[in-house]
Amino acid sequence: MKHLMKHLLALMLCSAATCAVAADISIKITKRYLNLPVSQKEKRSVMSYTINGKEEQRFVIRLSANPEYWVFSDMSAYKGKTVKISFEGDATALSKIYQDDQINGQDSLYKEKKRPQYHFSTRRGWINDPNGMVFYEGEYHLYYQHNPFEREWENMSWGHAVSKDLVHWEELPVALHPDKIGTMFSGSAVIDYDNTSGFGKPGKPAMVVFYTADNPDRQVQCVAYSLDKGRTFTKYNGGKPVIDSKEKWNSKDTRDPRVFWYKPSKHWVMVLNERDGHSIYTSANLKDWTFESHITGFWECPDLFELPVDGDQNNKKWVMYGASNTYMIGSFDGKVFKPEGGKYYFSSGSIYAAQTFNNIPESDGRRIQIGWGRVPQAGMPFNNMMLLPTELTLRKTKDGLRLYSLPVKEVEQLCTPVKKWSGLSSAEANDKMKEFYDADKLRIKTTIKLSHATEAGFNLFAQRMVGYDMNFNMLNGMFYSPQDPTSMELTADIYIDRSSIEVFIDGGAYSYSMERKPDRNNREGFHFWGNNIEVKNLEVFTVKSIWE
Ligand code: FRU
């Protein structure tokens, strides 16, 4: 507290029922973090940070003198400067704000009861869509929709984390803060190697990001660039939009620009969700965009990428993709996408708004996706998570071409095989699984074989990790039929973390994810069920935490 230079400028705003005090304090920044006390019980009020008369940040916060938990602002960019913190709400709690080189709660960080142990989640606050996924100079960048100040959605900013191996993540300061044009909605990132934008410097290509600025009136597309490997950004043209298409579509819903380089014609492509589908725009310089075409049938968070069929580089197809993991397969000439079949899905459950990495080296060649895991972590100072990074492949199936997804090979380094059995009855398998009763994280691979049973599955404390109904062909609520329609077997690769469960079926033909929700009254733990089923194969792996 002694680091604070406080100037309380209290302004009393009293009515009969309430007495709110708007005020400001000034703090000379000598430490990395400002720690801010919050409670979900308080209402949201506006706070701002002003430095040398210029407003740097403005957001709403449930500041509280009786904090339920603490959030923080990383102030490293402002070291040595005096920040005026103004608050329009009840200012009683202002004096509790303090700076420190640690966040409040650092000691228990990543050890919290529901903290995902091998999935990315943010230290504090809310996250949703992955944004700006790009590989550059040995780092995978994961930006994400983020409310740094509360465990619920608000104040959309771009949070930022980097990884060298797609598995261990380091959280960095917030990369894009809301501005006068709007809050920072979803978008993407490219590396402008040829300096088409002019943002780069000799030997220093710019990382260029595209985001939607959202305000009550409209959603517009804006550009920012970084010359320091994605750490800090300059908003192009002061954050003014490069695309404003509300009038054209007579709709506010124009958002989530997904940009990539289209090699054959040497131009940039932007896929943008506009009202009822995905539009294609092209550009030579990342600033001036021309509308080319539109395909209906998608909502939010577009993606568009090319994949070899069964790995054949001479036979490639394009995949157009929407927020709910539905996709179409077809052709793309740089301006128009033409579907060649229907609309399909390959993943369901808590996954949403997934995006794939740009700029993966050709020598690697993988199409790597990360999806938002809509997994609530009740009572935690953080909320929601990213699902495991997966590799997407396009394969010939009996139904035609289909997307498959499996966790990237880098995830293997976390898994240690500890037990393996075959040919068990469900009773025997349940007995073997007893020693893992208490596991807070685990990977289990299993193949079950039905014979007398039309319904079978595998539970964890009464929660159906696998629930297969061969009569209705339903697997955990969605239609599923194995590649061999006469097959009586189902293979599941199950990744259990503290607050989530992800299941990959039959080598990635289908996957789903869910919040981990044990029934506290259930004593069964791991439990295979189904009349006379055979647990043909059962493998158990321990999984290391990525935070150790
Ligand atoms: C999808 C989405 C995007 C939008 C963002 C806002 O989850 O609605 O369309 O850009 O979230 O946080």
Side-chain angles (χ1 to χ4, degrees):
M1 220 57 61
K2 50 180 165 336
H3 315 296
L4 306 190
M5 257 179 55
K6 277 176 270 168
H7 304 288
L8 268 167
L9 246 180
L11 166 68
M12 306 287 282
L13 296 167
C14 293
S15 72
T18 58
C19 184
V21 184
D24 55 60
I25 55 172
S26 288
I27 300 179
K28 183 167 184 214
I29 300 300
T30 56
K31 310 258 178 190
R32 178 148 185 200
Y33 300 110
L34 267 188
N35 287 303
L36 306 147
V38 294
S39 168
Q40 296 306 117
K41 294 189 192 93
E42 306 286 343
K43 67 175 181 25
R44 290 172 174 152
S45 299
V46 174
M47 180 176 275
S48 62
Y49 297 157
T50 305
I51 297 172
N52 292 333
K54 182 172 171 260
E55 187 178 288
E56 296 281 335
Q57 286 185 44
R58 168 174 285 258
F59 50 91
V60 289
I61 184 167
R62 299 182 193 271
L63 201 69
S64 174
N66 302 303
E68 228 179 288
Y69 60 101
W70 291 72
V71 293
F72 66 86
S73 280
D74 188 322
M75 303 303 272
S76 28
Y78 308 129
K79 269 230 172 120
K81 299 194 169 134
T82 297
V83 178
K84 186 171 91 176
I85 306 171
S86 308
F87 187 54
E88 291 177 11
D90 180 339
T92 341
L94 263 187
S95 62
K96 289 209 167 214
I97 297 175
Y98 70 98
Q99 55 176 330
D100 198 345
D101 282 326
Q102 298 210 322
I103 68 165
N104 186 299
Q106 184 84 33
D107 293 347
S108 53
L109 188 61
Y110 297 125
K111 297 183 201 118
E112 300 94 340
K113 192 161 170 262
K114 295 190 177 162
R115 173 71 71 179
Q117 291 298 293
Y118 59 101
H119 292 83
F120 177 77
S121 58
T122 189
R123 283 172 292 174
R124 289 292 180 266
W126 162 271
I127 61 177
N128 54 291
D129 316 355
N131 294 152
M133 288 171 57
V134 65
F135 180 79
Y136 183 52
E137 303 219 327
E139 288 179 322
Y140 296 91
H141 290 267
L142 172 66
Y143 299 89
Y144 47 91
Q145 290 288 282
H146 183 34
N147 181 1
F149 301 108
E150 195 187 312
R151 42 169 288 116
E152 299 300 335
W153 186 95
E154 199 38 82
N155 297 316
M156 277 301 111
S157 310
W158 277 32
H160 186 199
V162 288
S163 173
K164 290 190 162 57
D165 63 1
L166 286 166
V167 167
H168 299 88
W169 295 95
E170 182 193 355
E171 189 178 324
L172 298 175
V174 168
L176 294 176
H177 295 284
D179 57 29
K180 292 210 162 59
I181 306 201
T183 51
M184 305 287 105
F185 272 23
S186 285
S188 57
V190 299
I191 308 299
D192 185 11
Y193 286 106
D194 295 337
N195 202 17
T196 60
S197 60
F199 297 146
K201 295 254 163 65
K204 224 188 216 183
M207 178 188 291
V208 186
V209 298
F210 305 83
Y211 60 92
T212 300
D214 174 80
N215 63 56
D217 175 51
R218 59 184 64 225
Q219 295 177 336
V220 292
Q221 319 319 319
C222 308
V223 181
Y225 61 92
S226 167
L227 298 175
D228 61 356
K229 298 211 270 176
R231 267 57 179 182
T232 60
F233 286 89
T234 304
K235 286 177 179 163
Y236 167 62
N237 207 4
K240 292 208 185 70
V242 294
I243 299 176
D244 180 348
S245 53
K246 177 181 170 175
E247 274 71 32
K248 175 179 163 85
W249 294 94
N250 187 24
S251 166
K252 190 196 152 173
D253 294 303
T254 59
R255 62 173 175 274
D256 308 337
R258 174 72 173 101
V259 177
F260 61 91
W261 178 246
Y262 184 71
K263 222 172 160 186
S265 320
K266 294 199 171 59
H267 66 230
W268 298 101
V269 170
M270 179 192 289
V271 196
L272 183 65
N273 187 261
E274 296 184 302
R275 197 179 63 196
D276 52 11
H278 293 348
S279 299
I280 304 283
Y281 287 78
T282 56
S283 173
N285 61 9
L286 295 172
K287 300 168 186 166
D288 304 304
W289 292 92
T290 310
F291 175 84
E292 303 285 358
S293 63
H294 183 77
I295 177 162
T296 49
F298 290 107
W299 175 246
E300 303 188 321
C301 306
D303 205 348
L304 174 61
F305 47 82
E306 199 181 24
L307 278 178
V309 175
D310 288 327
D312 178 359
Q313 296 299 332
N314 298 316
N315 180 17
K316 292 184 174 178
K317 288 286 172 196
W318 285 83
V319 179
M320 183 66 102
Y321 200 96
S324 63
N325 297 290
T326 53
Y327 65 94
M328 300 175 190
I329 298 170
S331 65
F332 179 60
D333 63 2
K335 294 182 174 180
V336 182
F337 173 82
K338 287 204 184 104
E340 291 169 0
K343 200 196 276 176
Y344 313 111
Y345 68 89
F346 68 109
S347 190
S348 73
S350 59
I351 189 170
Y352 196 72
Q355 191 178 102
T356 60
F357 278 100
N358 266 334
N359 206 40
I360 295 289
E362 264 173 42
S363 56
D364 178 325
R366 287 178 295 172
R367 182 54 54 177
I368 301 166
Q369 184 184 61
I370 295 180
W372 166 30
R374 293 176 296 173
V375 173
Q377 284 102 1
M380 295 288 108
F382 54 89
N383 202 1
N384 284 248
M385 58 190 275
M386 295 303 166
L387 295 172
L388 288 175
T390 52
E391 180 181 356
L392 303 186
T393 51
L394 202 50
R395 306 200 194 168
K396 280 194 195 113
T397 74
K398 64 174 171 23
D399 301 315
L401 298 181
R402 290 292 185 274
L403 272 184
Y404 274 56
S405 77
L406 280 176
V408 292
K409 61 178 191 294
E410 286 86 342
V411 172
E412 291 290 340
Q413 65 187 285
L414 301 172
C415 306
T416 311
V418 288
K419 286 281 158 73
K420 188 175 158 95
W421 302 277
S422 52
L424 303 176
S425 68
S426 57
E428 286 165 340
N430 292 341
D431 199 47
K432 305 275 187 217
M433 286 308 295
K434 280 203 175 112
E435 66 173 288
F436 302 103
Y437 190 87
D438 285 329
D440 72 339
K441 50 188 170 29
L442 210 61
R443 174 181 171 198
I444 303 166
K445 255 176 145 171
T446 185
T447 302
I448 54 178
K449 187 169 182 193
L450 286 68
S451 54
H452 304 52
T454 52
E455 256 199 286
F458 186 30
N459 290 4
L460 176 54
F461 292 105
Q463 180 174 19
R464 292 200 168 181
M465 299 193 291
V466 178
Y468 181 47
D469 180 334
M470 197 254 296
N471 181 20
F472 286 90
N473 287 287
M474 296 295 274
L475 177 56
N476 280 51
M478 299 289 267
F479 181 84
Y480 181 75
S481 159
Q483 269 304 291
D484 169 4
T486 68
S487 169
M488 296 299 279
E489 291 183 16
L490 193 81
T491 295
D493 195 354
I494 307 169
Y495 292 81
I496 301 165
D497 201 342
R498 279 193 191 164
S499 55
S500 65
I501 299 172
E502 268 159 292
V503 185
F504 295 86
I505 297 294
D506 291 342
Y510 175 55
S511 68
Y512 53 93
S513 47
M514 63 189 97
E515 178 190 353
R516 182 175 174 182
K517 263 192 190 163
D519 175 351
R520 294 279 162 217
N521 298 316
N522 178 280
R523 306 313 313 155
E524 285 169 348
F526 290 101
H527 184 72
F528 286 93
W529 53 274
N531 186 11
N532 272 306
I533 62 163
E534 181 191 346
V535 179
K536 270 190 84 173
N537 182 55
L538 179 57
E539 287 171 75
V540 180
F541 306 73
T542 54
V543 188
K544 286 189 210 66
S545 169
I546 59 172
W547 305 119
E548 271 153 21

